[in-house]
Amino acid sequence: MKKNGFSIIELMATIGVIAVIAAIGFPAIDNFGEQENFETDLATIRGQINYVRQISLEEGNAYTIRVVNDSDDNTADLQVWQAQGLNRYNTEFHKSTSIKCSDFEGTGDKGTQLTELTKTLENMTITRCTNISGNCNAVAAANNFFCFLPDGSAPENARAEIQASSNAGGKKQYFHTYKSGFFNNGERM
């Protein structure tokens, strides 16, 4: 006589296999959104820097990307400021200010903000460090910026700490700009 259906052992084996697959697969699926949030914000940072560096080269003008962090929401705005006045094309002038590129033309002049170019990081903050190695000691909020000179270079090597929110995996990475104008990011620098 032929029986239709499954035995209890076959059902238990099937349920066991499904449980193992779910136990392995669910954390990977759960972390997928966090990794995507992290990568999206990194792409925003890279895109903003590449764009500002490019327009500094094309226009022969100095620019800064000012980072305005909101630590409560773990977000940041990447504001673009353009140098104005007679020294906007003067690479050596911007290199010589006490905090490089901090004064575009006169006392405390940050230039003109190009609000339409501001980009927002939804899941991370960026804090520029006072040194390029060792522990990251944060600069004052007013000096939390990166500068690009009229020739597309940077006035100095600089390092920053990127802190992702829990929505982006809570990772900490470092971001480094070089005098050449190039940049990179990674876990240790």
Side-chain angles (χ1 to χ4, degrees):
M1 188 189 274
K2 188 173 181 182
K3 294 182 182 179
N4 292 333
F6 300 102
S7 71
I8 191 79
I9 294 175
E10 291 171 326
L11 285 173
M12 294 301 285
T14 302
I15 291 170
V17 168
I18 291 171
V20 168
I21 291 171
I24 293 170
F26 183 72
I29 292 169
D30 189 40
N31 289 338
F32 177 74
E34 292 176 0
Q35 184 64 28
E36 185 164 323
N37 290 341
F38 185 80
E39 292 298 329
T40 297
D41 276 359
L42 276 182
T44 300
I45 295 167
R46 290 180 189 122
Q48 187 74 326
I49 289 173
N50 282 328
Y51 182 72
V52 171
R53 185 167 177 259
Q54 182 65 33
I55 61 174
S56 71
L57 278 166
E58 288 175 2
E59 296 177 4
N61 204 354
Y63 285 86
T64 59
I65 298 174
R66 295 190 174 275
V67 181
V68 180
N69 291 319
D70 181 347
S71 298
D72 294 335
D73 292 334
N74 211 27
T75 61
D77 285 337
L78 304 177
Q79 300 175 347
V80 178
W81 292 74
Q82 179 185 39
Q84 301 296 309
L86 295 176
N87 286 314
R88 68 180 179 260
Y89 308 118
N90 187 339
T91 298
E92 295 308 313
F93 171 81
H94 299 297
K95 287 181 179 180
S96 68
T97 53
S98 62
I99 296 175
K100 306 206 182 321
C101 292
S102 63
D103 188 4
F104 275 153
E105 191 72 35
T107 306
D109 183 8
K110 296 190 296 188
T112 300
Q113 183 180 2
L114 305 176
T115 55
E116 69 278 5
L117 298 181
T118 297
K119 300 291 183 195
T120 300
L121 303 176
E122 299 292 335
N123 299 291
M124 60 179 55
T125 58
I126 302 173
T127 305
R128 185 168 168 171
C129 307
T130 57
N131 52 358
I132 58 172
S133 62
N135 292 334
C136 183
N137 299 316
V139 299
N143 299 327
N144 197 18
F145 64 86
F146 298 93
C147 180
F148 293 93
L149 300 171
D151 61 2
S153 67
E156 61 189 342
N157 292 340
R159 182 176 74 130
E161 185 175 270
I162 299 171
Q163 180 61 57
S165 68
S166 58
N167 292 342
K171 299 177 187 178
K172 183 185 292 187
Q173 279 198 2
Y174 292 95
F175 173 78
H176 198 130
T177 60
Y178 301 96
K179 288 182 180 181
S180 63
F182 292 105
F183 62 93
N184 65 359
N185 67 284
E187 292 180 15
R188 297 194 323 182
M189 296 241 183

